[in-house]
Every structure is written in C-alpha cells, then in structure tokens.
Amino acid sequence: MSSTPENGRTPENRPHGASETHPQVPRVVIIGAGIVGCSLADELTARGWTDVTVLEQGPLPAPGGSTSHAPGLVFQTSPSKTLAEFAKYTVEKFVSLEVDGVSCFNQVGGLELATTPERLAELHRRAGYAAAWGIRGEVVSAARCKELWPLVDESVVLGGLHTPDDGLARALLASRAQLERATERGARFLERHTVTGIEKEDGRIKAVVTDQGTFPADHVVSAAGFWGPVIGRMAGIDVPLQPLAHQYARTKPLPELGEATEEASKPILRFQDRDLYFREHTDRIGIGSYAHQPLPVDPFAILPYDEARAQDMEMPSSYPFTEEDWAPSWEDCRWLIPALREAEIETGFNGVFSFTPDGMPVLGESRELRGFWLAEAVWVTHSAGVARAVAEWMVDGRPSLDLHECDLTRFEEAQRSPSYIRERGSQQFVEVYDVLHPLQPMEQPRPLRVSPFYARQQQLGAHFLEGGGWERPHWYEANAPLTEGLDIPERDPWSARFWSPIAAAEAKATREKVALYDMTPLRRLEVTGPGALDFLNRMTSNNLRKKPGAVTYTLLLDERGGIRSDLTVARLAPDRFQIGANSPADLDWLTRHAPADVQIRDITSGTCCIGVWGPLARDLVQPLTRDDFSHEAFGYFRAKETYLGHVPVTAMRLSYVGELGWELYTSADLGLRLWDTLWEAGQDLGVIAAGRSAFNSLRLEKGYRAWGTDMTDEHNPYEAGVGFAVRTDKEFVGREALDNAPVARKLTPLLLDDPAAVVLGKEPVFAPTLGSARAGGAPIGTPAGYVTSASYGYTLGRCIAYAWLPAELTTGAGVHIEYFGEKIPATVAEEPLFDPKMTRIRR
C-alpha cells in the first residue's frame, strides 16, 4: 500500500516511506545483493514498490559478502522477542521457497548441548524463552541427545535443548529465489556496480553514484553488510558496526558418515560450553568457533571482490585460516565427538561478519538524511524477518513488530565513537555463547558516563550497573546495617546475581523515611517556540493545554495507536516545556514532525536530577527554600522553578515510587552542590541514598509501567493500562486508530503465591483455565502470555510479575510461571497493589 494523501495522510504526518515527489511508486535503490538485499527487494516488490534497483559490487548470485560463506544455521530462540520473531519469519519464508526443486531451508532442527550444570540450567531458561515466543522446544536427556546426534559422547552430556523447527538456510539459494521473484515484479539486480558516492539535496537522498553510472532514488537502503560503515561515510551517516573474523573449518570425509547422501540429516549442533557449533556437509562435518580471540577487521580495508580474488582469496569475506587460534577448539571438538579424534581438517577460513555494540541489528531511516535507510548487522538467521519489518516501515510508515531494540537512533553519542564500537563489538563476539544474566553489564569501557554525584556514590559504596553508557547505582553498601532484622527470603543462585538484600532495606527506608535517587540518566528534552504548545498537544495523547506549572503524563502514539513512548511534560512557561522521555528515538520522532516555529533540544547531558522520595521528603526540602512546598501550594503533578539553598532547581512534584516527593533538576555544574545540600539537610531525618534495585521494586508495587519493557508500539493504551492518559476529545497522532482499538490482551499484575519465589522477566505464563491441564492443575500446552517486568515487592512480601495475558483473566485467577523448567503458581491481582487511594503521594 502506498502512503498517499488518498489514504487519509497529509504531508505533515506522512510516514517515512512516502515519497514527496513520487508518492505512487517511489524509486528505491538497495545497496548490496546479499541475503538481506534480496529479501528486502522481494518484500518491497510484494507490497507494490516495484521500482527497485539492487546494486552489487561483486558477481551474482555469490557476491562475496557474509552471505556467500555463511554456514546457514538458523536458531529461533533468543532472549529478544524481536529477534525471535525475525527468525520465525525467516524459517517460515525460506521453507516455502525452492529453486529447481531444492528447498531453501533444510529443517533438520537444532540441538544445544549442556556439559555443565550451569549450562543445563541455562537451557531450561532458553526453553522458557522458546515457549514465551511461540517456538517449539524442550529440554531432553543425554540419551535423547545421543539419539539425535549419534556421534556425540553421551557420557559428557547432561542434557540438551531440542528445537525441531530450526535448521539450515541455504542462503545463496534463498537469495536467488527472492531475486527471481523480485525481478518478475519489476526489480532489477545489477552486478559489478561499485558504489562510489551518495548524492543528497536539502537533507534528502537524491541518487547513488557508481562506477557504472548514477541512479536517482527517493529511498536508498544500505544492506551492504560489513561494508555498511563505508556506505554510511559516503552518506555522512555513522554506522555503528564492527566486522570480525570467525573461524569455520570442514573435516575430511568421516567413515562414520560414509553412507550419508543428504546434505544434512541431523540437527545443527551447538556446544556453547566451548563456543562451538557443528553441521553436516554430507560425509563431512563443518565446525564454527567463537572460542578464539576477537579478530576485528577494518571495513575500509576489506578488498573489493576482484582485488580479493587477485590475491588468492576465495572472496572478500574469506580471510586466511589462523591455525594457532584453531588448536584449542579442535581439542574440544575431539573431546565431544570421538569420531573426530582420528579426523583431519580439509579446509578452513576466517569468515567476516558484523557485530554491533549491543549485538542487535541497525535498522531505520536516518534523521540527518531523509530517505537513507539502514538494514545492517543482520545475520542470515534474521534476514527475511528484518526485510519484512523494514519493508513495512518504508511502505506503511511503521513495522508490525516492535523494533526499538534495533532502531539506529538507540545509541547515545558517547556510544558511537570508533573505539567504543570496536571494543564493544569485539566483546559481543566473545559473549555470543556465554551464559549472560539479564542485569549483567559489559565490563569495558567503564566508567563512561557518570552523574555529578558519582564521587559521593562511590564513597557510599555504590554497586554500579550500566545502561546507555551511564553508571547507575543499584544499591549502596553503606546501607548494609539497615538489613539487620529484615525478613528477606533467600534467593536462588541465578536471581541472587546482581542483587543484594540491601535493596530491601533501601525500599523500606523510602517507604518509612526519605531517600535520594539519582535520576540523571533519564532523558530530558526542552521544547520551545511559539508553536510548542500546539505541536506537543497534537503529538501526544493527553491534554497539555494547562497553565504554566502543570505537569502531564502523556503518550506518544503512532498512527495505528501503538505506544511509541510515554512522557512527562512540564509546562514551565507559555512557550517552554521540559519533557521526560525514554530514548533517542523520542527526540528523533518529535524532530521529524516539528514545524519551523518549534525548537527541540536534548538537555540530558547538561543537567542532572535527584528524586527525593519518602514520607519525610517535605521535611527535608521545605527548610531549604522560601517557596511553599505544602500540598496546598505545590500539588501533585505540578512544577516550580525555585532555589534549594544556593542551587537553582526545577522542582516537579512527581513520584515513580509511590511516595511523597519531588524530582529536582539543576545544571550539571551545580549537581554536586545540590546533592551535598540535600544530604546535609537530611541527616537528622535518616536520609539514605537508594539504588535502582529498590526503585524497580517500589515502582512495580505501584504498577508504574516501563516503556520498552512493559509496553511498546505493539500495544495500545487500553491494553497496557494507561488509557487514563488518552483524551479522545482532541485530535492527536493515533487518535482515529483508538476508536476501534482491540483489548484482547492486557498487561496484568501477578503475585507469586510462594513468598520465597522470584522470577526475573520474559518467562512464559500458563493459564490452566484457558486450556487443558494435567491432574493436579499443572498447566500444559501453549503459554497464555509472558512476563515483562518482575521484582520482589518488599512492602508486600511477594514477588510481583507483570505479564501480557488474555483480557478475560480476572482478579483471583490462578496461573503458572515457568522458571527454569519449574511451574511456579501465581495469582492475578488487582492494581495498584500498594496504596490504591494514592494517600501517600498526595499529602
């Protein structure tokens, strides 16, 4: 479907995909004819965008990029729901494709082995991810692993995760199949066309220049793989991608496979305890290793196809095999598979492919150059799914999946330096098969971004985790004495990682006295100008036409009513607003839509914030100011510019923890003085510094949502329980879609029945009342939903889990949450779980 005015869209709110000069059939140039470029051409032409040109510097159908050497392993299970959805669609599509009677996907299944208790526990957790995302999979015995892969030494195996719908993508064949379909619809694929430049005009893409001519374009998509940074530089766009070389070897024929006639009949095998994977090549075994040191490759030094061939390289993506890196892995292979003890390696190479600082793809349209899109750092596993999402984004204005984890705007400026990308991309390579805790931060480079309070936090023994480059205190060792006498259930080893019972003491102190929370990492935008009020009122769901001093909780919706973000908007003056936002994507979205008389500025780095919360919060701040901080003079959701001691602050009467208090903002240079002023004034009140572990517990007790975790643009406000932030008596982006917004599912609060039980998030939830059950009530079958946020509620004495579940589940209904293979009973609760009448905040 083309995005045209006839579809009810005006130029002002036209989706990114609509061309202003060619609204009917935009001219699209895709750079790169690997699996991503071919998939995207197929998806675009299937949606009616048939004026598609795919430029490739190498020969077709094997142009020499990562697709040309990829071993084709497709594992669908991932901690990321988005990556799982990409992989599921890739499997679904490739299974349906064939060339000359040969299927583009060999659905042999997948098998992940555990040789340590830690890995076996991890496989149970991964089985939970599979169930949560609708992927078939089960943890099986060592004997079953031996049945599935007879060459494995059963005596060293503790169990495995079998995923029968995984398999091997025939990447070059799938590229050819989609190339042919796209060509039949009007696309053209041009080999031996090396891109040499990008033409632009007035901030918009104009054409792609090659050594064979210039190609005008309304949209250009860089699907160049590890050459992405090269294309990006031509366009003036940073592409946060680091190519690395990865070892792959193939044995000589094995007698044990001598009767094999099929390319592969056994599941693809992963031995993650040693960073290895295996697949059959008829009577040989192919082996890939992540066990070696990272081997970063300069994308600007990778040779073009013909130059690589002239230097006796098979292709640009195939580097010489480094024997010294291979030796330890070869010993591990022989330990697991006895048949390899007498075997020899026939061929090997170091294949280049792409990593990003967080291991996710880089997708979306550049804000700096309109019409220039990225579809980079995409593996074969996710290729068709990514292509569908990007095609939807271009044609319809938004993808059907939540892509915030992949959005090219997600990286902060501090995370875009070449050294950061190289270091963290290399670390992603190291951690591909590691058992990673959901709270586990990367170790380097740290510290990178710190608040003005960092020195004081260190003195208090802050335990820092990292997010968005920021050092974030999760608890303070100085508060350890406060745990004395607290009844805190003992945790299992997994949930006890990156957690401390001190969090319980900090939560208690916040409920009973007063605590200081560092809120500096939360994003702050300043919106000014004569048109600021009209603009923000049109872009968000709640009513912002309030007098200066008002603060409003509101939503950024897309045209289909999906929640792009949630915001707090403070009107500080008639034409000046301060916005509490979530991610760089919020700035990007607002900037794209802003009229000329509105200015938007990210003020996060130049400012800081302290949350002062607890029943004694007023006792702390009132003596420091001449302004009246009483409830009558300074009500809830109000803002005031004032002074605390010598420090000018913007005080907002907000609370994300369900207690009386304020968010206090000042400039970064005065931040330390603000902290010291509050700390000194609070000593007689028992003030403490508290971390994000307590913060998360307190916010879940109040049912406060976290965008990106609890709700995304896949959900509408009524499903997510934030319909109170929607005013249907005004016009705003997404308003029309909400008239018929479905509420078949809801974000539902659960309390675990066992006071000692905990879950962490992303676990599948089973509802026996909605399906069959075993005797005794244990659930079986398809999960009813999955957990988003979870934390122990120290005030309630129960673990709280929010989950997306069918709307018909009522308060008191029993469900089960699967945690490491065990079904933990929980009960649907009524929210808010704590202080439902809001008496503690409004006093």
Side-chain angles (χ1 to χ4, degrees), residues 572-746:
L572 302 179
D575 59 355
R576 180 165 62 94
F577 296 80
Q578 181 173 310
I579 297 177
N582 285 296
S583 75
D586 297 343
L587 174 64
D588 180 70
W589 177 256
L590 292 172
T591 301
R592 287 179 184 276
H593 291 82
D597 61 350
V598 173
Q599 294 77 48
I600 305 174
R601 190 165 64 99
D602 189 327
I603 61 172
T604 309
S605 297
T607 57
C608 59
C609 177
I610 299 175
V612 182
W613 292 310
L616 301 183
R618 185 174 288 114
D619 300 78
L620 175 54
V621 298
Q622 183 61 83
L624 299 174
T625 180
R626 294 181 178 180
D627 286 311
D628 188 351
F629 271 53
S630 69
H631 181 65
E632 294 73 22
F634 197 158
Y636 192 51
F637 267 81
R638 299 292 299 173
K640 184 177 295 188
E641 293 181 298
T642 184
Y643 287 86
L644 293 183
H646 298 286
V647 182
V649 300
T650 300
M652 298 187 194
R653 179 91 184 273
L654 304 175
S655 176
Y656 205 50
V657 299
E659 294 293 336
L660 170 69
W662 288 265
E663 293 179 359
L664 303 174
Y665 298 88
T666 192
S667 55
D669 60 322
L670 291 168
L672 190 58
R673 185 59 179 263
L674 176 61
W675 179 280
D676 289 344
T677 298
L678 294 167
W679 187 258
E680 182 179 347
Q683 289 308 298
D684 291 340
L685 302 172
V687 69
I688 68 161
R692 292 191 66 84
S693 187
F695 176 88
N696 198 46
S697 171
L698 296 169
R699 71 103 178 165
L700 283 176
E701 289 183 336
K702 284 297 295 178
Y704 294 147
R705 277 61 168 150
W707 184 86
T709 301
D710 297 316
M711 57 188 186
T712 69
D713 59 9
E714 291 184 7
H715 312 110
N716 69 56
Y718 307 120
E719 295 174 313
V722 289
F724 62 86
V726 175
R727 287 288 298 269
T728 56
D729 58 352
K730 70 161 198 167
E731 292 301 316
F732 57 88
V733 174
R735 164 69 184 84
E736 185 177 343
L738 295 184
D739 285 339
N740 299 304
V743 189
R745 56 184 176 174
K746 281 189 175 181

Side-chain angles (χ1 to χ4, degrees), residues 276-298:
L276 293 165
Y277 64 82
F278 306 83
R279 59 151 294 179
E280 296 168 281
H281 293 280
T282 312
D283 61 351
R284 295 162 169 83
I285 292 180
I287 308 164
S289 172
Y290 293 98
H292 56 84
Q293 63 179 332
L295 301 171
V297 175
D298 181 358

Side-chain angles (χ1 to χ4, degrees), residues 111-359:
L111 179 63
E112 303 175 41
L113 297 181
T115 59
T116 65
E118 181 185 32
R119 180 66 64 178
L120 185 60
E122 167 73 355
L123 295 187
H124 280 287
R125 189 164 68 105
R126 288 179 57 78
Y129 292 147
W133 314 146
I135 298 165
R136 288 202 302 157
E138 63 173 336
V139 176
V140 298
S141 67
R144 177 60 177 151
C145 293
K146 179 72 172 179
E147 290 177 10
L148 292 166
W149 245 87
L151 300 187
V152 165
D153 182 356
E154 181 184 353
S155 69
V156 303
V157 176
L158 301 181
L161 173 62
H162 182 219
T163 46
D165 297 326
D166 291 340
L168 295 164
R170 297 182 173 102
L172 289 178
L173 214 59
S175 296
R176 180 181 158 192
Q178 293 175 102
L179 179 155
E180 291 174 354
R181 295 205 312 188
T183 301
E184 289 173 359
R185 302 187 191 110
R188 57 177 176 166
F189 288 74
L190 304 177
E191 63 180 3
R192 304 289 188 173
H193 279 62
T194 300
V195 174
T196 58
I198 301 291
E199 292 185 358
K200 41 197 170 181
E201 186 175 277
D202 298 327
R204 186 166 186 91
I205 199 76
K206 183 180 178 183
V208 177
V209 182
T210 76
D211 58 353
Q212 302 294 320
T214 298
F215 297 83
D218 301 303
H219 298 273
V220 171
V221 185
S222 177
F226 50 69
W227 280 292
V230 179
I231 301 301
R233 179 175 291 183
M234 295 179 192
I237 305 300
D238 290 332
V239 179
L241 176 160
Q242 177 60 56
L244 287 111
H246 161 61
Q247 289 203 304
Y248 192 79
R250 192 180 298 196
T251 67
K252 290 182 177 179
L254 296 179
E256 291 81 358
L257 299 177
E259 301 300 318
T261 57
E262 300 177 74
E263 175 199 16
S265 59
K266 301 176 185 63
I268 46 180
L269 183 70
R270 290 204 284 186
F271 180 25
Q272 290 126 314
D273 288 327
R274 294 293 190 275
D275 297 309
L276 293 165
Y277 64 82
F278 306 83
R279 59 151 294 179
E280 296 168 281
H281 293 280
T282 312
D283 61 351
R284 295 162 169 83
I285 292 180
I287 308 164
S289 172
Y290 293 98
H292 56 84
Q293 63 179 332
L295 301 171
V297 175
D298 181 358
F300 296 90
I302 298 175
L303 298 176
Y305 185 90
D306 290 326
E307 289 185 33
R309 296 286 288 176
Q311 295 190 22
D312 295 326
M313 294 173 62
E314 184 177 344
M315 61 188 76
S317 61
S318 179
Y319 277 48
F321 192 65
T322 49
E323 295 282 355
E324 63 276 13
D325 292 312
W326 175 252
S329 291
W330 186 228
E331 291 305 311
D332 291 333
C333 294
R334 291 170 162 177
W335 179 76
L336 178 70
I337 302 175
L340 296 179
R341 292 170 188 170
E342 303 300 325
E344 296 180 18
I345 296 299
E346 183 174 64
T347 60
F349 65 95
N350 289 2
V352 182
F353 63 138
S354 304
F355 286 82
T356 59
D358 60 2

